[in-house]
Amino acid sequence: MPRYDIITIFPDYFSTLDISLIGKARTAGLVDIEIHDLRDHAEGVHKSVDDTPYGGGAGMVMSPEPWGKAIDEVTSNEIIHDLIVLTPAGKKFDQSMAEQFSKLEHLVFACGRYEGIDHRVTEYYGTQPTFRVHEVSIGDYVLNGGEVATLVMLEAIIRLIPGVLGNPESLAEESHTLTSNGEAIVEYPNYTKPAIWRELSVPEILLSGNHAAIKGYRHEEAIKRSQNRE
Ligand code: 6GU
């Protein structure tokens, strides 16, 4: 099964990985997720993991030493490791990236805080033959750290692992599949009972039983939504 190691100074962020679909996937032995506290690799009475930036400037930078120790501890020279460094300066995460990562055997998530991690960590592992390093962002806004970004990535990745979703048909049908010309197509709007809610009716065609017409209607609605999204 694929293994995901998460290195963070806030392990508590990841308690939600015990619940819902990901919790079930872990219990079922479909994925192995291990959380590691970076501070276990810090030295001194204060167990400090950061320092002031060379060249000056605001904020603190995470020191390379604890990161090197933490990453070395969860990796070996035997297999390829994909090291994901969470940073707003990274390549933007999307569904195709999720699909690629979902096929990999060992992901290591490095959750930076403060003004990020000393860049030599990215440089060093980038030169190691058993590592591929990916700097990833989840969108054009600034978070306080990589923890929530890691949760977003894990949710998108793990649901693509075979056996995790109860109904694999929902994978093929759902939002953000790409059309034949590579355009992102979003899902059509969905309705369930009651047929009238607060004076709003469900579109009549969905009650018609005419499957071809329903298919056509849904496609039209999906196109409209896709065009309105930019
Ligand atoms: Cl991965 N990290 C931080 N700190 N901010 C972000 C981000 C990551 N992705 C978008 N904003």
Side-chain angles (χ1 to χ4, degrees):
M1 78 181 113
R3 175 172 173 128
Y4 304 146
D5 286 289
I6 303 165
I7 306 168
T8 174
I9 56 168
F10 293 120
D12 289 352
Y13 266 101
F14 299 97
S15 56
T16 55
L17 297 177
D18 290 338
I19 61 173
S20 193
L21 201 79
I22 296 178
K24 286 195 190 109
R26 293 173 82 180
T27 312
L30 294 170
V31 58
D32 178 10
I33 304 179
E34 304 292 338
I35 321 292
H36 310 273
D37 190 340
L38 181 71
R39 230 173 272 283
D40 292 346
H41 299 279
E43 304 281 344
V45 273
H46 297 294
K47 298 260 169 212
S48 148
V49 293
D50 63 334
D51 211 328
T52 53
Y54 276 117
M60 299 291 270
V61 176
M62 294 188 105
S63 313
E65 196 61 28
W67 278 108
K69 288 178 179 158
I71 295 165
D72 288 350
E73 191 181 81
V74 299
T75 56
S76 70
N77 294 326
E78 310 300 311
I79 61 162
I80 297 285
H81 312 284
D82 287 89
L83 175 63
I84 298 170
V85 179
L86 285 308
T87 163
K91 182 174 176 193
K92 210 180 299 171
F93 185 61
D94 63 9
Q95 189 66 21
S96 83
M97 227 191 266
E99 279 162 19
Q100 288 167 23
F101 285 138
S102 76
K103 297 181 173 81
L104 302 176
E105 276 308 307
H106 189 209
L107 305 180
V108 178
F109 293 87
C111 301
R113 285 260 142 185
Y114 314 106
E115 307 307 308
I117 304 170
D118 187 305
H119 193 62
R120 288 170 294 181
V121 174
T122 297
E123 270 178 46
Y124 173 82
Y125 288 101
T127 67
Q128 299 304 299
T130 56
F131 279 83
R132 291 181 293 234
V133 181
H134 315 265
E135 291 187 301
V136 179
S137 156
I138 60 160
D140 295 335
Y141 36 79
V142 179
L143 305 171
N144 291 329
E147 283 76 10
V148 170
T150 295
L151 288 171
V152 167
M153 289 185 66
L154 284 174
E155 184 149 327
I157 292 167
I158 290 171
R159 59 196 298 289
L160 299 176
I161 295 174
V164 169
L165 282 196
N167 176 10
E169 260 183 46
S170 50
L171 262 188
E173 265 195 31
E174 74 191 0
S175 288
H176 292 101
T177 346
L178 298 182
T179 61
S180 45
N181 48 20
E183 285 268 297
I185 181 152
V186 296
E187 205 175 340
Y188 49 78
N190 287 294
Y191 303 88
T192 185
K193 291 176 272 303
I196 303 175
W197 176 75
R198 298 193 181 181
E199 299 183 345
L200 295 172
S201 300
V202 170
E204 219 174 283
I205 193 163
L206 297 177
L207 313 176
S208 71
N210 183 340
H211 297 295
I214 290 171
K215 196 172 175 212
Y217 160 81
R218 284 178 165 168
H219 185 68
E220 290 305 308
E221 290 302 313
I223 300 280
K224 273 195 233 165
R225 276 188 156 187
S226 308
Q227 287 166 346
N228 287 335
R229 236 165 51 88
E230 279 303 285

